[in-house]
């Protein structure tokens, strides 16, 4: 949980979203639903204070901030979609979406599906 999210530490993703800034809850719920749809069998957990999807390796995570959310699939997944992400704010690890902007649901779904496929095809046992 971010320092700017007051209250007890959430233990579920639903609690995490409920503790997020009110302006972001609709985006966070939509993002969570997209990720559940893409990876319905993934374990969902709060790790390092953020929602994670694991199968059994890291698939993706997200976090809430005061005015935006971060979606974290992997550096490789973001790099693969670099051209499509050109109009969005990104870092090496995150797609950042302001709460007052539309959630790019179709693009997030596409990135999440790519990340799921990429992770399932790996031959190693590393978490990351």
């Amino acid at each position: 949980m971010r320092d700017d999210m007051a209250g007890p530490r959430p233990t579920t993703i639903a609690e995490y979203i409920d503790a997020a800034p009110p302006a972001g809850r609709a985006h966070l719920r939509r993002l969570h639903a997209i990720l559940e749809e893409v990876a319905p069998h993934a374990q969902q957990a709060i790790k390092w204070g953020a929602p994670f999807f694991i199968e059994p390796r890291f698939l993706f995570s997200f976090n809430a901030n005061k005015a935006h959310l971060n979606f974290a699939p992997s550096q490789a997944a973001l790099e693969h979609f670099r051209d499509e992400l050109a109009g969005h704010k990104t870092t090496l690890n995150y797609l950042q979406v302001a709460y007052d902007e539309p959630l790019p649901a179709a693009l997030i779904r596409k990135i999440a599906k790519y990340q799921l496929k990429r992770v399932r095809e790996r031959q190693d046992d590393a978490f990351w």
Side-chain angles (χ1 to χ4, degrees):
M1 177 156 64
R2 304 280 309 178
D3 289 339
D4 52 346
M5 293 170 59
R9 289 191 175 273
T11 58
T12 66
I13 294 177
E15 288 174 3
Y16 181 91
I17 292 170
D18 287 343
R25 292 179 190 155
H27 271 20
L28 294 164
R29 285 187 184 103
R30 181 74 177 119
L31 175 60
H32 183 220
I34 290 166
L35 300 179
E36 280 186 315
E37 175 190 313
V38 169
H41 303 294
Q43 175 193 0
Q44 297 182 37
I46 301 294
K47 293 191 174 291
W48 298 283
F52 270 62
F53 282 70
I54 303 158
E55 195 181 78
R57 299 178 197 100
F58 171 81
L59 292 175
F60 19 75
S61 68
F62 62 91
N63 63 54
N65 293 276
K66 186 176 180 180
H68 69 273
L69 65 81
N70 290 318
F71 168 53
S74 70
Q75 288 180 14
L78 289 174
E79 185 57 37
H80 185 79
F81 290 94
R82 190 62 54 200
D83 290 343
E84 292 178 61
L85 289 164
H88 301 279
K89 186 169 184 178
T90 60
T91 67
L92 194 58
N93 297 303
Y94 300 116
L95 164 61
Q96 189 177 96
V97 181
Y99 298 143
D100 62 356
E101 296 175 6
L103 187 73
L107 181 55
I108 288 171
R109 183 176 288 106
K110 194 173 179 180
I111 294 168
K113 285 180 179 181
Y114 172 83
Q115 173 68 358
L116 179 65
K117 181 178 185 296
R118 194 181 75 76
V119 169
R120 286 182 174 172
E121 289 174 350
R122 284 178 35 200
Q123 299 298 313
D124 64 78
D125 291 330
F127 179 73
W128 298 104

